[in-house]
């Protein structure tokens, strides 16, 4: 059985009464639009717990959808709403597990987003009237994007990304990570806006090729010859294949019971390949890696 938008209007009317504390079912166009988006979000939550396209992108073309014939539109909405609330609870549990062993390496952007920002989501999120609004800008980037996810789906994916990245970062001595970040930007505590695990993994790959301890995260200028010779005159495609091999080797040996880490970080291989190949072509490989014996601004 299929329902069109008209079948959802009674649900929107009930939400309107709740929104106005039962004073009226008549609301402004903007409010009615907001409530219709809320209904659609919850219906999406019922249909799929794994993914949620941006309601904002879908609402103009979302006219018909298939549902279980035994359930009417309001039942679908209510079950979807219950799933949204359940996902908030699950996300809060995930956040508490992450924060228990979390370190921000004194990076303000990371701290402000994860330590200060995420709790605000749980305080201010409105699953009834604005379930599609995850409130936060999530300024600290993760390696994998959130695509078009919104609402609690975006927060859930973001936290899962953070959990994966910190499973990797937590094996390093924080002082070594902080020293690397300081080489990238001396005032990294205030100015570093990129992804920490991205920088750590790139340096770790360089350490493997230079025959140095990965845990130290230290490379010198004389290591560039070994790294350059490994890639030679490889194209970006060939370089990417080599980097994928190195990443797989690193995670299979260091994290043999966590295949998710390897899969997650393999997505960095193309970016690394472009940077390394360009560095070799322009005789600037030292600029790709943040070396201990080169001051920023020097070649």
């Amino acid at each position: 059985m299929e329902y069109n938008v008209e079948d959802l209007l009674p649900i929107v009317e009930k939400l309107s009464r709740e929104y106005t504390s039962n004073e009226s079912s008549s609301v402004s166009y903007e409010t009615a639009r907001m409530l219709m988006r809320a209904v659609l979000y919850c219906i999406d939550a019922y249909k799929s717990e794994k993914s949620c396209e941006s309601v904002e992108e879908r609402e103009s073309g979302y006219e018909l959808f298939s549902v279980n014939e035994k359930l009417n539109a309001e039942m679908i909405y209510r079950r979807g709403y219950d799933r949204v609330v359940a996902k908030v609870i699950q996300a809060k549990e995930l956040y508490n597990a992450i924060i228990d062993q979390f370190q921000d390496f004194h990076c303000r952007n990371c701290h402000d987003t994860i330590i200060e920002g995420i709790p605000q989501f749980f305080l201010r999120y409105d699953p009834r009237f604005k379930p599609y609004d995850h409130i936060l800008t999530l300024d600290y980037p993760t390696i994998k994007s959130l695509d078009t996810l919104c609402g609690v789906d975006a927060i859930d994916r973001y936290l899962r990304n953070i959990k994966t990245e910190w499973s990797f970062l937590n094996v390093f001595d924080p002082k070594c990570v902080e020293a690397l970040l300081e080489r990238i930007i001396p005032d990294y505590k205030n100015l570093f806006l990129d992804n920490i695990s991205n920088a750590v993994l790139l340096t770790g790959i360089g350490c493997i090729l230079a025959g140095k301890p990965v845990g130290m995260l230290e490379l010198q200028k004389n290591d560039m010859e070994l790294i350059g010779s490994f890639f030679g005159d490889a194209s970006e495609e060939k370089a990417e294949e080599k980097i994928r091999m190195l990443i797989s080797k690193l995670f299979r040996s260091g994290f043999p019971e966590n295949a998710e880490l390897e899969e997650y970080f393999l997505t960095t291989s193309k970016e690394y390949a472009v940077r390394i190949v360009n560095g070799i072509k322009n005789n600037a490989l030292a600029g790709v890696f943040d070396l201990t014996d080169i001051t920023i601004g020097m070649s």
Side-chain angles (χ1 to χ4, degrees):
M1 185 174 182
E2 293 184 338
Y3 295 94
N4 56 36
V5 172
E6 284 70 27
D7 294 308
L8 305 182
L9 292 179
I11 307 173
V12 174
E13 182 178 353
K14 288 184 179 181
L15 281 180
S16 299
R17 291 188 181 279
E18 288 185 41
Y19 188 76
T20 61
S21 301
N22 288 317
E23 291 183 4
S24 173
S25 62
S26 178
V27 293
S28 67
Y29 170 78
E30 289 76 14
T31 300
R33 184 170 179 268
M34 174 189 79
L35 298 178
M36 179 61 80
R37 290 180 66 188
V39 171
L40 294 177
Y41 187 93
C42 290
I43 288 172
D44 272 346
Y46 172 80
K47 292 171 65 179
S48 174
E49 290 185 290
K50 295 183 179 180
S51 65
C52 171
E53 295 179 19
S54 170
V55 175
E56 186 171 344
E57 291 184 2
R58 296 186 60 184
E59 62 181 359
S60 61
Y62 198 125
E63 295 181 356
L64 298 174
F65 49 89
S66 298
V67 294
N68 190 316
E69 293 183 5
K70 296 181 180 180
L71 300 176
N72 61 36
E74 184 169 358
M75 293 172 68
I76 293 288
Y77 162 74
R78 291 189 179 281
R79 292 192 181 188
Y81 171 79
D82 289 343
R83 292 194 178 188
V84 169
V85 173
K87 183 165 280 190
V88 174
I89 295 172
Q90 293 168 0
K92 182 66 182 300
E93 292 174 350
L94 176 59
Y95 178 72
N96 289 338
I98 291 170
I99 215 68
D100 186 51
Q101 299 182 15
F102 187 80
Q103 49 190 339
D104 58 24
F105 305 103
H106 304 291
C107 173
R108 174 175 290 183
N109 188 40
C110 177
H111 176 90
D112 289 352
T113 302
I114 299 170
I115 303 295
E116 302 292 339
I118 295 296
Q120 290 301 310
F121 166 80
F122 295 113
L123 288 174
R124 298 163 54 195
Y125 182 61
D126 185 352
R128 178 68 72 187
F129 301 123
K130 285 188 176 182
Y132 53 83
D133 183 4
H134 51 271
I135 301 166
L136 308 176
T137 55
L138 301 174
D139 293 328
Y140 178 79
T142 55
I143 285 178
K144 281 193 174 182
S145 73
L146 303 181
D147 299 318
T148 57
L149 292 179
C150 58
V152 69
D153 293 283
I155 296 298
D156 178 72
R157 172 75 65 81
Y158 184 80
L159 290 176
R160 291 181 187 280
N161 289 352
I162 291 295
K163 179 184 178 183
T164 300
E165 293 180 12
W166 258 259
S167 294
F168 171 60
L169 289 174
N170 282 340
V171 304
F172 291 89
D173 183 336
K175 293 187 181 301
C176 293
V177 175
E178 291 164 12
L180 171 62
L181 296 177
E182 192 168 17
R183 292 197 297 275
I184 296 173
I185 301 179
D187 188 16
Y188 83 88
K189 294 180 181 180
N190 295 308
L191 301 179
F192 188 81
L193 302 177
D194 294 327
N195 181 274
I196 296 172
S197 61
N198 200 5
V200 169
L201 179 57
L202 177 60
T203 303
I205 290 172
C207 289
I208 292 174
L209 295 177
K212 294 193 168 182
V214 173
M216 296 302 294
L217 297 175
E218 292 184 347
L219 290 167
Q220 284 77 42
K221 191 173 183 179
N222 57 15
D223 296 321
M224 297 302 99
E225 184 176 351
L226 280 172
I227 295 174
S229 64
F230 176 80
F231 291 98
D233 59 355
S235 64
E236 289 181 5
E237 291 75 16
K238 289 294 184 182
E240 183 179 353
E241 290 178 9
K242 292 186 174 187
I243 291 169
R244 290 180 67 88
M245 178 269 293
L246 290 169
I247 291 175
S248 293
K249 179 181 178 181
L250 173 64
F251 285 102
R252 288 176 187 178
S253 61
F255 305 86
E257 298 180 358
N258 194 339
E260 179 186 358
L261 278 177
E262 177 187 349
E263 179 184 356
Y264 184 89
F265 284 103
L266 278 172
T267 59
T268 63
S269 57
K270 184 175 181 62
E271 175 199 342
Y272 293 167
V274 171
R275 293 171 63 182
I276 290 172
V277 168
N278 285 338
I280 292 173
K281 286 181 178 179
N282 294 288
N283 196 29
L285 191 57
V288 176
F289 297 91
D290 299 284
L291 311 181
T292 61
D293 56 351
I294 291 185
T295 304
I296 292 177
M298 294 179 61
S299 58

